[in-house]
Amino acid sequence: VEQASDGSVAFEMILKNKYNVVISDVRMSICSGIDLLHKLKSHKGRVPEVIMMSAFSDLTTQKAQELGARALFLKPAKIDEI
């Protein structure tokens, strides 16, 4: 388990390492979870991403699903739900 300070750092980590899954918040500084999904979609060997958010909005949910998010969870999510 590793942690990134924002989506840009997470993307660089994904390029350098192999992960089974990425758990990301929608709201992050510099590069949001949706921005990270955009980057991952264009990256070969893409990693499944799970998005967490404090409240579901139709627009964010739709965008995340269009970009390939495997699951969406409300915060705080229970580990056994993920």
Side-chain angles (χ1 to χ4, degrees):
V1 176
E2 294 184 298
Q3 183 176 336
S5 57
D6 62 63
S8 293
V9 173
F11 186 68
E12 292 302 318
M13 290 170 66
I14 292 165
L15 292 178
K16 294 176 184 173
N17 302 290
K18 184 171 175 93
Y19 298 100
N20 293 323
V21 69
V22 172
I23 300 174
S24 169
D25 198 337
V26 168
R27 292 187 180 176
M28 295 184 289
S29 64
I30 303 172
C31 177
S32 72
I34 298 297
D35 294 334
L36 180 57
L37 274 171
H38 273 286
K39 290 181 176 188
L40 289 175
K41 187 173 183 176
S42 65
H43 174 64
K44 288 185 176 184
R46 203 170 140 285
V47 178
E49 183 168 7
V50 174
I51 296 287
M52 299 187 63
M53 55 186 87
S54 57
F56 287 128
S57 76
D58 290 339
L59 182 60
T60 303
T61 300
Q62 180 182 358
K63 192 66 169 175
Q65 290 172 336
E66 287 172 3
L67 292 170
R70 296 285 176 103
L72 302 166
F73 290 95
L74 286 174
K75 295 187 296 187
K78 296 178 183 167
I79 193 71
D80 59 330
E81 293 175 342
I82 299 173

